[in-house]
Amino acid sequence: MAASLRELRQRRKSVAATQKITRAMELIAASRIIKAQRVAQEGEPFITELIRAVSAVATYSHDEHPLTAEPQQVRRVAMMVITSDRGMNGAYSANAIKTAARLRERLEREGVEVVRYAVGRKAIAYMNFRGLPIRQQWEGFSDSPTFAHAQEIADALIADFMTPYEEGGVDAIYGIYTRMESMLVQNPRARRLLPLEVVEGVHVPNEGELLPLYEFEPDGETVLDALLPMYVRSRVWFYLLQSAASQLASQQRAMKSATDNAKQLIERLTREANQARQAEITQEISEIVGGAGALADAAAQD
């Protein structure tokens, strides 16, 4: 049954209102994404240099630290999943959740217990809906994280990592976040956060080459005690920044697609409304002509 002219106009008005909202959200995301991307990129060199510093201390001091020591047996692993707090950002959160699900399946096949840490309301809602227990959760800052948020999350992860297994501690921690490759490409990633793999950035000497002389004050263990928590916090901070930039890019793309779809729907509804209006006019003309003809026939009979 064809819609009436009034219904078509109401639908067109509703779609036009929705288009204004999606267009505004697209512009807001576009204005914020440049800053978010710049902040995320600016933080990467600091992380790289911090890795080199930690690697140098861990390699040349010959001190073994709990945060760098490989566990003899991996029995319990924590997963920190970073998603968004709100929707309307395409498949951003769904892709991160799928990546976490694949990692969980692999770990469980290996007989490893999985403990969940959720960042963002989408991850929290997903786990609660499926009855999956969450050890700790954070929300409300997915699109604008601060270093204080990263420090709070990192300190909680370090505390659980340092706790013995018998008391509920974990043997390893993985972070699932979304890295922003470009405005069009955002890839979810799963990276081991603890224990640290401090091998990147260490110079391997050639044959006959002298090793650099490192001196650590007061000692290597104290330096590691200061550097390693800083590294973990910075790494979590980097994950949050990359995820925030990816969320905004995905939101902008989703809102642009929604705006374009609304425009096409408005054009189609306008055509249908015009056709309905023409049909009404034609019907009115037919009724007028018919009425005039009836009056003329009645007058002729009189």
Side-chain angles (χ1 to χ4, degrees):
M1 180 175 159
S4 66
L5 177 60
R6 182 178 180 181
E7 291 175 344
L8 290 171
R9 285 175 174 173
Q10 288 177 342
R11 288 177 58 189
R12 184 176 61 184
K13 183 178 180 181
S14 176
V15 174
T18 302
Q19 184 188 34
K20 291 180 180 179
I21 296 174
T22 57
R23 178 58 177 168
M25 295 182 66
E26 176 191 351
L27 294 176
I28 292 173
S31 65
R32 297 178 60 188
I33 191 173
I34 302 301
K35 180 181 178 180
Q37 186 179 21
R38 185 179 68 251
V39 173
Q41 291 174 345
E42 290 175 352
E44 194 163 6
F46 175 76
I47 293 292
T48 302
E49 293 302 321
L50 194 55
I51 292 174
R52 291 176 180 173
V54 172
S55 298
V57 178
T59 302
Y60 297 115
S61 69
H62 306 292
D63 290 324
E64 186 171 306
H65 194 278
L67 296 184
T68 61
E70 290 288 340
Q72 295 180 352
Q73 181 183 3
V74 178
R75 296 160 293 181
R76 183 182 296 129
V77 168
M79 290 195 320
M80 176 190 65
V81 186
I82 301 176
T83 62
S84 67
D85 287 318
R86 293 181 293 271
M88 296 187 178
N89 45 40
Y92 163 75
S93 294
N95 289 337
I97 291 173
K98 289 178 182 178
T99 301
R102 287 193 294 267
L103 176 60
R104 175 185 58 81
E105 292 171 359
R106 178 176 67 82
L107 292 172
E108 290 181 346
R109 283 197 303 267
E110 298 172 357
V112 178
E113 179 186 355
V114 176
V115 178
R116 297 164 185 85
Y117 298 76
V119 181
R121 294 191 183 101
K122 290 298 180 180
I124 296 171
Y126 171 84
M127 296 177 188
N128 287 335
F129 180 76
R130 285 159 178 78
L132 302 174
I134 304 174
R135 175 166 291 188
Q136 291 198 52
Q137 62 188 49
W138 298 268
E139 59 181 283
F141 54 84
S142 65
D143 56 350
S144 56
T146 65
F147 187 77
H149 296 131
Q151 181 173 349
E152 180 183 351
I153 296 172
D155 290 350
L157 295 176
I158 293 174
D160 285 347
F161 183 76
M162 299 296 291
T163 301
Y165 171 81
E166 293 74 16
E167 299 177 14
V170 297
D171 300 311
I173 295 178
Y174 285 83
I176 292 88
Y177 74 105
T178 305
R179 183 179 178 89
M180 182 170 178
E181 308 292 349
S182 67
M183 292 291 292
L184 298 177
V185 180
Q186 298 87 41
N187 293 323
R189 292 186 174 188
R191 293 290 183 266
R192 196 179 80 172
L193 189 60
L194 291 172
L196 303 180
E197 297 175 312
V198 286
V199 295
E200 184 178 347
V202 177
H203 174 64
V204 179
N206 299 321
E207 184 177 356
E209 182 181 355
L210 295 176
L211 288 173
L213 178 61
Y214 287 90
E215 293 185 3
F216 306 106
E217 294 183 1
D219 54 68
E221 183 178 357
T222 303
V223 175
L224 280 176
D225 285 340
L227 280 180
L228 288 175
M230 184 188 304
Y231 170 83
V232 177
R233 293 165 187 162
S234 299
R235 200 69 183 173
V236 173
W237 173 229
F238 177 74
Y239 291 168
L240 291 177
L241 290 177
Q242 285 287 329
S243 297
S246 298
Q247 175 185 337
L248 290 171
S250 182
Q251 184 182 58
Q252 183 199 15
R253 192 166 61 250
M255 291 301 98
K256 185 179 187 308
S257 177
T259 302
D260 294 341
N261 291 337
K263 180 180 178 182
Q264 295 176 3
L265 182 56
I266 290 173
E267 291 175 351
R268 181 174 67 81
L269 290 173
T270 300
R271 288 195 300 269
E272 292 180 2
N274 291 338
Q275 292 172 357
R277 177 57 180 159
Q278 290 173 358
E280 286 187 1
I281 293 174
T282 302
Q283 179 67 25
E284 292 173 358
I285 292 175
S286 298
E287 291 175 355
I288 292 172
V289 172
L295 291 175
D297 293 341
Q301 291 176 0
D302 291 341

